[in-house]
Amino acid sequence: MFVSGEASILHADLDAFYASVEQRDDPRLRGRPVIVGGGVVLAASYEAKACGVATAMGGRQARALCPQAIVVPPRMSAYAQASKAVFEVFRQTTPLVEGLSIDEAFLDVGGLRRVSGSPVDIAVRLRRQVRERVGLPITVGVARTKFLAKVASGVAKPDGLLVVPPDREEAFLHPLGVERLWGVGRVTAAKLREYGITTVGEVAALPESALVSALGPALGRHLHALARGRDPRRVVVGRRRGSIGSQRAIGRGPHTPEFLDAVVVGLVDRVTRRMRKAHRVGRTVVLRLRFADFARISRSRTLARPTSGTEEVLVTARALLATAQPLIRERGCTLVGVAVGNLDDDATMQLELPFDEGDAAALDTALDEVHRRFGTSAVTRAVMLGRDQGLTVPLLPD
């Protein structure tokens, strides 16, 4: 039985964000299938999605599915400006805003009934203000918990509003497919289907011990709680990232080891610059790969001491890439990602003798200043010369 309480958490999610910005700025694109990005689909309008086009799909496959689609190059600065304007609307709605990405956030409006009306009134007004002030469609889910609000917005898309009253949570959630549960991807969904489990209600009907036996302790307990409506997490303002990463889709290839090394170099440069700008250091370096069959793996290594140094992270990332080369040769590679986790503030890092920064740290500092003043392309590594370094996707502050 679900816990009672007011449905006062909003999950606001911009619809097909990049593509919607393009349609907003070019009236000729409105109502037509739009694909953002050429080699790899970065975003697709709902008209293109109706043809089967999906984010991260190869451009050739996307154009085969939707030959009438209009392909436009990405404009990251326009998307960053639109995101900033939308988040301004969020923060004028409530001070309790937890950004998830540049196009979605949780908002807690539970204490605003006297000054702003009911959560439903606030959600209606929020959607209208985003449309009027920013010119973009946005979907909002309203529920008692963060999980249910996010599921509601997913069901309501595109350009919708869905409220899940506390006394209707089971009726709403239980008929949905298991893929709606946070933590259920393609592999876990397939494993559940082997046991004849296809809906959230069927997950909720199982004892926790059965899920733990099938999926392991952490995931089993997590899914058992969500399927029964238990999600105690609050909307948290100003939470810092647990990791900082970047990834790049590279198409089906084939790709030489030299090309993949250059991709890793560019990603490490990008990640460590962000870390130093945010005054963060980390201990765990993670390499993520997606293969041609869309399966994913990750490899990680924990360092002896936290760092934001480019060279230290790069040495580790290259070692992880080397160990993955046999799999890459066998299965192909379509995406590479690098992240640094176990983050902490650099002010808390214990100094080691000798106290001088050393040549590597001095070089990082000098390059950061050059990039700040003259742009990221002002100075680059020799291995990157003449190579496409991929797009810099706008992100929430680190």
Side-chain angles (χ1 to χ4, degrees), residues 9 106 145-147 182 222 226 231-235 239:
I9 294 178
F106 287 115
T145 68
K146 293 167 75 171
F147 165 64
W182 273 345
H222 169 74
L226 291 183
D231 180 16
R233 294 168 304 161
R234 298 176 179 271
V235 173
R239 173 181 289 167

Side-chain angles (χ1 to χ4, degrees), residues 267-283:
L267 292 172
V268 169
D269 269 345
R270 191 174 296 173
V271 167
T272 51
R273 278 203 308 270
R274 285 175 53 197
M275 291 174 65
R276 292 189 293 271
K277 184 177 180 181
H279 301 288
R280 311 297 299 279
V281 291
R283 290 188 59 190

Side-chain angles (χ1 to χ4, degrees), residues 5 12 60 76 116 118-119 121-122 130 137 157 166 185 215 258 317 360 376 382:
R60 184 178 301 176
M76 295 303 175
S116 301
S118 71
D121 294 334
I122 294 170
V130 170
K157 279 185 168 293
L215 304 174
E258 292 76 18
T376 56

Side-chain angles (χ1 to χ4, degrees), residues 214-227:
L215 304 174
L219 184 56
R221 295 187 187 113
H222 169 74
L223 297 186
H224 184 265
L226 291 183

